């Protein structure tokens, strides 16, 4: 696993990453919403849900994040992104979930506890898993006619079998995300 040692700091976070088919479905929803919400649609290859946000850290501390993720014993679980929304305060249109699966909550808490125990400052805001579909969205245009408010939204469902550590950097074309670690969850059911 190679880590960039040229810069001094990196912005990092643990995340769930959709497979290609689900990324395509999410992107299609984003494009549909974009017609009424405008803004900037998230690139298909960067769609994700943040599990634990860490933020800017010194590069020499990356290894401890890679180490602490080893040995997480959460079983794989199904996830339903079934609730659209648009936050006016940061103009993010997102797909979230009406029900937080217990396994996802456990995975978040386990990871956050390890991150905190390793001496990193962790995000104090309540865990609110979501996939950002559009930034700079005109949330005021999300009327009842808009698919964003259909309840339930067309769910995007997948079996979470792993999680990743992502390093982000700002480039000319927006954020660039690099997966620097991937860890499998425990398989307790046959693959579908
Ligand atoms: P967002 O999509 O809602 O902005 C990379 O920036 C990832 O980390 C994104 O998923 C982003 O969420 C999330 N993120 C950025 N700052 C954060 C913070 N302070 N707390 C939690 N998540 C954050």
């Amino acid at each position: 696993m190679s880590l960039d040692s040229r810069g001094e700091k990196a912005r990092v976070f643990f995340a769930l990453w959709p497979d290609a088919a689900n990324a395509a479905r999410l992107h299609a929803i984003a494009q549909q919403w974009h017609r009424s919400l405008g803004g900037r649609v998230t690139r298909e290859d960067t769609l994700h849900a943040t599990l634990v946000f860490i933020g800017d850290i010194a590069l020499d501390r990356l290894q401890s994040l890679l180490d602490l993720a080893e040995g997480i014993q959460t079983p794989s679980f199904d996830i339903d992104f079934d609730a659209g929304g648009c936050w006016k305060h940061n103009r993010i249109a997102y797909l979230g979930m009406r029900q937080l699966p217990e396994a996802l909550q456990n995975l978040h808490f386990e990871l956050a506890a390890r991150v905190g125990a390793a001496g990193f400052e962790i995000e104090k805001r309540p865990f609110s898993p979501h996939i950002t579909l559009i930034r700079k969205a005109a949330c005021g245009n999300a009327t009842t006619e808009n698919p964003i408010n259909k309840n339930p939204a067309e769910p995007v469902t997948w079996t979470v079998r792993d999680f990743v550590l992502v390093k982000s950097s700002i480039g000319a074309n927006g954020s660039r995300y690099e997966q620097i670690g991937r860890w499998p969850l425990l398989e307790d059911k046959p693959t579908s």
Side-chain angles (χ1 to χ4, degrees):
M1 198 164 291
S2 79
L3 301 177
D4 183 352
S5 56
R6 284 167 297 171
E8 293 203 322
K9 287 202 156 196
R11 164 170 282 224
V12 292
F13 56 95
F14 287 104
L16 303 180
W17 212 267
D19 61 26
N22 280 314
R25 296 183 63 201
L26 291 160
H27 193 60
I29 294 171
Q31 285 174 316
Q32 190 185 18
W33 288 4
H34 181 256
R35 284 184 219 128
S36 48
L37 302 183
R40 184 160 50 81
V41 170
T42 305
R43 284 205 339 251
E44 189 170 331
D45 61 341
T46 64
L47 287 159
H48 68 273
T50 293
L51 264 179
V52 175
F53 182 76
I54 298 140
D56 290 334
I57 61 159
L59 274 179
D60 61 7
R61 301 194 71 202
L62 272 180
Q63 190 60 48
S64 60
L65 288 175
L66 296 170
D67 292 344
L68 69 82
E70 295 290 341
I72 290 271
Q73 298 283 309
T74 304
S76 76
F77 56 91
D78 292 335
I79 201 167
D80 280 331
F81 284 96
D82 60 359
C86 197
W87 286 314
K88 290 203 166 93
H89 70 280
N90 56 9
R91 301 180 63 195
I92 280 180
Y94 64 90
L95 203 55
M97 53 194 70
R98 288 180 295 160
Q99 280 220 302
L100 186 60
E102 204 181 327
L104 173 57
Q105 183 116 15
N106 292 343
L107 177 58
H108 163 77
F109 278 132
E110 172 77 23
L111 258 181
R114 288 177 182 223
V115 168
F120 295 95
E121 191 143 333
I122 47 171
E123 178 58 37
K124 305 279 188 309
R125 288 189 305 200
F127 181 44
S128 171
H130 65 277
I131 298 174
T132 294
L133 297 187
I134 300 178
R135 294 187 190 276
K136 302 205 185 320
C139 296
N141 293 349
T143 65
T144 47
E145 305 305 311
N146 193 287
I148 197 169
N149 283 324
K150 279 203 182 132
N151 197 9
E154 180 76 16
V156 175
T157 301
W158 81 83
T159 301
V160 176
R161 295 202 168 86
D162 54 20
F163 66 95
V164 293
L165 180 64
V166 183
K167 179 176 158 209
S168 83
S169 48
I170 308 293
N173 301 318
S175 294
R176 196 176 86 86
Y177 293 136
E178 184 189 353
Q179 293 179 21
I180 56 176
R182 178 179 285 270
W183 297 268
L185 300 181
L186 299 176
E187 281 296 341
D188 64 350
K189 56 183 189 177
T191 52
S192 52

